[in-house]
Amino acid sequence: MGTGTDTPHGARAHARAQHGTRTATMPVVPATDWPDPPCAAGHLVWAETVAGGGYTHRPVARGTEIRLTDLQGDACAHLLLHSQARPWERLNVADTVKVQWNAYLRTGRLLLSDQGRVLATLVADTTDGRHDTLCGTSTLVRNTRRYGDGAAHSATPAGRELLTLAALKNGLDARDLPPSLSFFQGVEVRSGDHGDGDGDGTLHFTGSAGPGGSVTLRAEQDLTVLIANVPHPLDPRPAYTSTPLEVLAWRAAPTRPGDPLWDATPEGHRAFLNTAELLAAKDPS
């Protein structure tokens, strides 16, 4: 009987020897085994560390809060959201910017679909808004030109390729992937006089706020969450630089009337009303 993994018996023995062990980037199952949960005991539903150049995906229930943490200062979480029941309703970054009259993500911002409904709210942010709604994620062509390869299973995968894999594992495909938004690597539009001749609307990469920054999102519908952790397209460093991203999610409650977020702006109020109307039609109780 072979003792290596080149035989079925050896491969089985090797696989079974891994039982009860964990790698740094494997999801913790059950999530409640996570050693330091940020929520009440037993409420954690997703606990994972996504390697640089990796991706993850998960369906989450309405009201779930999802905390993303840039552990070492060079993560960049490229995010897409889809309604579970109606995957054609998905994150629309252009409407998220346009409806709220602002391209910069801060605490209290809403992530909107093209149906004028709230998919998620940004309820906490420790990074001083080091995020991006303008550039999307990296592509196969771009990464191949810049790093020599951009395929999903290469050493320098593109975000679009990884999000495609995440989509396929949830019954979606490439046509279901609109532009994504990015957390933890900032971009600003240069306007006015900065003393460098760069005040004509040029996109300026501001980079990371440093290790330990986090954002927390609250799901306002049942969602499918897709995340790729890859370098931002405007990152000027020649090397493919991407460090681990921590993802923790726990059961909580959605935003309801009376919450300050519900009435923060007329546009947001209408988006919450649109969302509530849909949910009431689905479940009148």
Side-chain angles (χ1 to χ4, degrees):
M1 182 183 298
T3 57
T5 57
D6 55 340
T7 69
H9 292 291
R12 181 180 64 185
H14 174 76
R16 288 183 172 178
Q18 313 308 309
H19 179 68
T21 66
R22 290 183 181 146
T23 67
T25 57
M26 282 184 65
V28 173
V29 180
T32 50
D33 283 354
W34 185 263
D36 187 22
C39 57
H43 284 208
L44 206 63
V45 297
W46 185 6
E48 182 173 358
T49 302
V50 184
Y55 71 99
T56 187
H57 54 92
R58 187 69 61 95
V60 299
R62 178 175 178 246
T64 301
E65 295 194 354
I66 308 160
R67 189 181 76 185
L68 309 178
T69 302
D70 179 2
L71 294 175
Q72 298 176 18
D74 277 317
C76 188
H78 301 262
L79 176 78
L80 286 175
L81 303 172
H82 295 73
S83 167
Q84 280 187 42
R86 305 169 317 286
W88 55 88
E89 182 170 4
R90 58 204 182 196
L91 177 65
N92 188 300
V93 177
D95 281 1
T96 293
V97 169
K98 175 177 65 177
V99 171
Q100 298 177 97
W101 307 98
N102 202 310
Y104 299 107
L105 293 172
R106 299 287 191 273
T107 300
R109 293 282 187 265
L110 313 180
L111 306 186
L112 303 177
S113 76
D114 62 355
Q115 305 298 308
R117 302 188 185 105
V118 188
L119 295 176
T121 52
L122 179 53
V123 296
D125 181 7
T126 70
T127 72
D128 191 31
R130 293 296 184 96
H131 315 305
D132 172 40
T133 62
L134 301 172
C135 296
T137 192
S138 53
T139 63
L140 176 63
V141 170
R142 176 197 172 281
N143 276 29
T144 300
R145 183 171 61 246
R146 184 167 186 186
Y147 303 117
D149 201 350
H153 299 294
S154 71
T156 53
R160 178 81 180 181
E161 301 304 298
L162 296 180
L163 289 172
T164 299
L165 289 183
L168 290 170
K169 294 179 179 180
N170 288 277
L172 308 170
D173 59 31
R175 70 178 181 176
D176 297 307
L177 300 181
S180 57
L181 58 80
S182 308
F183 290 111
F184 304 122
Q185 299 292 334
V187 171
E188 67 179 15
V189 180
R190 286 296 179 95
S191 59
D193 184 9
H194 289 265
D196 54 9
D198 208 15
D200 58 354
T202 303
L203 297 179
H204 176 71
F205 182 70
T206 59
S208 169
S214 69
V215 296
T216 302
L217 305 173
R218 178 186 298 149
E220 304 293 355
Q221 301 187 39
D222 294 343
L223 298 177
T224 300
V225 180
L226 312 180
I227 301 171
N229 180 26
V230 299
H232 190 278
L234 293 188
D235 191 328
R237 291 172 290 188
Y240 187 95
T241 306
S242 182
T243 56
L245 171 75
E246 180 185 272
V247 183
L248 299 177
W250 55 91
R251 293 193 299 272
T255 306
R256 301 188 185 280
D259 188 295
L261 283 176
W262 188 282
D263 298 309
T265 67
E267 298 82 11
H269 181 75
R270 180 56 184 239
F272 275 117
L273 289 178
N274 291 342
T275 308
E277 180 184 44
L278 174 71
L279 295 172
K282 289 172 55 182
D283 183 8
S285 62

